[in-house]
Amino acid sequence: MLLKSRLAGLFNLASRLILRYPGVVALFGFCSGVASFVLVERHAGLAKVIAAVMLASWLWLMLENSLRRGVERRFGWKVPPPLLRYVTQMVHQESLFFIIPFFFITTTWNSGQSAFTVLLGIAALISLIDPLYYQWLAPRRWIYLAFHALTLFAVLLTALPIIFHLSTPQSYLCSLIIAVLLALPSLLSFFPEWNWKSLIAIPLLALSVGLVGWLGRIWVPPATLWLTDVAVTMSIDDASRKPGNRLRQLSSRELHDNGLYAFTAINAPRGLKERIYHVWEHNGRRVDRIPLDISGGREAGYRAWTHKRNFPGNPEGRWRVRVVTEAGQMIGMLRFDVTQ
């Protein structure tokens, strides 16, 4: 009985402090999220622990009401609703500010990927600003659930490769399926009455959302893969695995005489093995797609390159080498020009 009363007092105290100093929750979510990213980047051994804590917090979030009723029924501890609301908000803040640095680094900003990362940034701002979060977002149930699903989708894209060493295509597919299942309650709100039409329409809507998510994967950055070094060069030092002189422009004669190397160093989570591609494009048209297998764990990135010698007869113009995953998500891009 004494323990129950003490816990009830602690819950009430926490609730009063949160109501009195609401900005502290936002500040804690921001600081802890950024600190988690720094720890994951610099200490690979902590990556699994932090990512697992993130997923556990989401499991609690999904089971919040059931757990609250169970605790109240079994122990008689009544958790104040304001405390639960702020814990939910803190999970959103912690998650968004943990993943945004990953996406900020991996986004190719001159591509459609910038739209996805900007959307995550807007979601993070909404989670920080109480009037927007509680007065605009929370009362609109379907928007709130969509916000919830988007945040979980991004968390899974970041956590699954770190914890389970899933490849980018596997992580994306698993994250998409979980996010679509979580979005089902928001789809149900469009059908206030149950009939045969709603039973057909809801699965079709869910499949449509999943299909749009899969087709839009080229707009989503690969959260845990990013380029640490890139170069277009005519030579590679095999012993040191370093590129020679870095080029932005060369003549067509030099290109045909020596060929060209596209060098990339890719940061990936420890233990992750992934196939990526160098897609060579001339004036916007794809001319080659060369596979590379990379392995994660090196702080400076896994160094790999492709050597292309077979160029068209008239190679003058703008060239680029897109570095993409097997799922089609772009990691980065190299550019160079060929003159006469």
Side-chain angles (χ1 to χ4, degrees):
M1 185 65 68
L2 181 61
L3 178 61
K4 289 183 180 181
S5 61
R6 286 183 176 178
L7 285 173
L10 286 175
F11 286 149
N12 290 325
L13 176 62
S15 182
R16 289 198 303 272
L17 288 174
I18 287 172
L19 289 172
R20 187 173 180 180
Y21 306 105
V24 174
V25 177
L27 181 63
F28 177 80
F30 172 78
C31 294
S32 59
V34 174
S36 298
F37 166 76
V38 172
L39 289 173
V40 167
E41 188 184 16
R42 295 188 178 180
H43 304 281
L46 294 176
K48 290 185 179 181
V49 176
I50 294 173
V53 169
M54 289 290 169
L55 293 183
S57 67
W58 276 90
L59 180 62
W60 177 87
L61 202 58
M62 289 185 287
L63 301 176
E64 173 191 330
N65 290 329
S66 300
L67 291 174
R68 178 175 55 82
R69 288 193 297 267
V71 168
E72 186 176 349
R73 183 172 58 252
R74 182 173 179 82
F75 301 103
W77 302 336
K78 190 173 182 179
V79 183
L83 180 61
L84 286 174
R85 287 198 301 269
Y86 276 107
V87 169
T88 301
Q89 182 187 16
M90 190 174 67
V91 171
H92 282 142
Q93 292 170 353
E94 175 85 14
S95 301
L96 286 164
F97 285 105
F98 168 65
I99 61 176
I100 280 177
F102 284 97
F103 284 98
F104 185 84
I105 290 175
T106 59
T107 297
T108 304
W109 289 99
N110 59 349
S111 71
Q113 291 181 348
S114 57
F116 183 84
T117 304
V118 167
L119 181 62
L120 288 179
I122 293 171
L125 285 177
I126 291 174
S127 72
L128 277 178
I129 302 172
D130 287 353
L132 284 177
Y133 188 84
Y134 290 108
Q135 297 174 21
W136 180 80
L137 179 67
R140 293 166 173 82
R141 189 63 181 168
W142 71 274
I143 298 179
Y144 180 78
L145 290 172
F147 175 93
H148 193 75
L150 172 68
T151 309
L152 177 60
F153 175 62
V155 168
L156 289 170
L157 285 178
T158 307
L160 292 180
I162 294 173
I163 299 175
F164 302 109
H165 301 157
L166 297 183
S167 67
T168 303
Q170 292 170 332
S171 299
Y172 192 91
L173 185 60
C174 291
S175 303
L176 185 61
I177 290 173
I178 295 172
V180 169
L181 290 176
L182 186 64
L184 282 176
S186 63
L187 299 179
L188 293 175
S189 63
F190 289 107
F191 302 94
E193 295 182 2
W194 281 90
N195 52 43
W196 66 271
K197 291 182 180 179
S198 60
L199 291 175
I200 296 175
I202 290 173
L204 287 177
L205 272 176
L207 287 174
S208 300
V209 171
L211 182 61
V212 169
W214 180 252
L215 293 177
R217 65 191 183 279
I218 59 174
W219 286 44
V220 180
T224 53
L225 299 176
W226 64 83
L227 297 175
T228 58
D229 191 17
V230 296
V232 174
T233 181
M234 288 186 181
S235 63
I236 293 285
D237 186 338
D238 285 329
S240 63
R241 299 177 69 86
K242 292 183 178 179
N245 292 333
R246 299 164 187 259
L247 304 172
R248 293 298 301 271
Q249 183 175 296
L250 70 160
S251 69
S252 58
R253 176 178 290 182
E254 290 174 315
L255 190 67
H256 284 299
D257 288 347
N258 304 303
L260 204 60
Y261 291 90
F263 172 88
T264 52
I266 301 175
N267 184 290
R270 186 179 302 278
L272 179 67
K273 297 185 183 299
E274 177 121 3
R275 169 159 286 193
I276 61 142
Y277 294 88
H278 282 181
V279 181
W280 293 71
E281 297 178 349
H282 179 218
N283 291 331
R285 184 176 63 87
R286 192 176 85 175
V287 297
D288 215 342
R289 184 172 181 262
I290 306 174
L292 289 168
D293 292 317
I294 65 169
S295 179
R298 293 190 75 257
E299 185 176 347
Y302 186 88
R303 294 167 292 183
W305 57 85
T306 55
H307 184 200
K308 183 171 173 59
R309 301 187 63 92
N310 182 23
F311 287 92
N314 298 312
E316 294 85 3
R318 294 184 176 182
W319 284 81
R320 66 181 186 179
V321 182
R322 292 192 305 117
V323 187
V324 301
T325 69
E326 210 161 13
Q329 294 172 272
M330 185 162 60
I331 305 172
M333 188 186 304
L334 299 82
R335 299 176 186 271
F336 62 97
D337 294 325
V338 177
T339 60
Q340 290 185 348

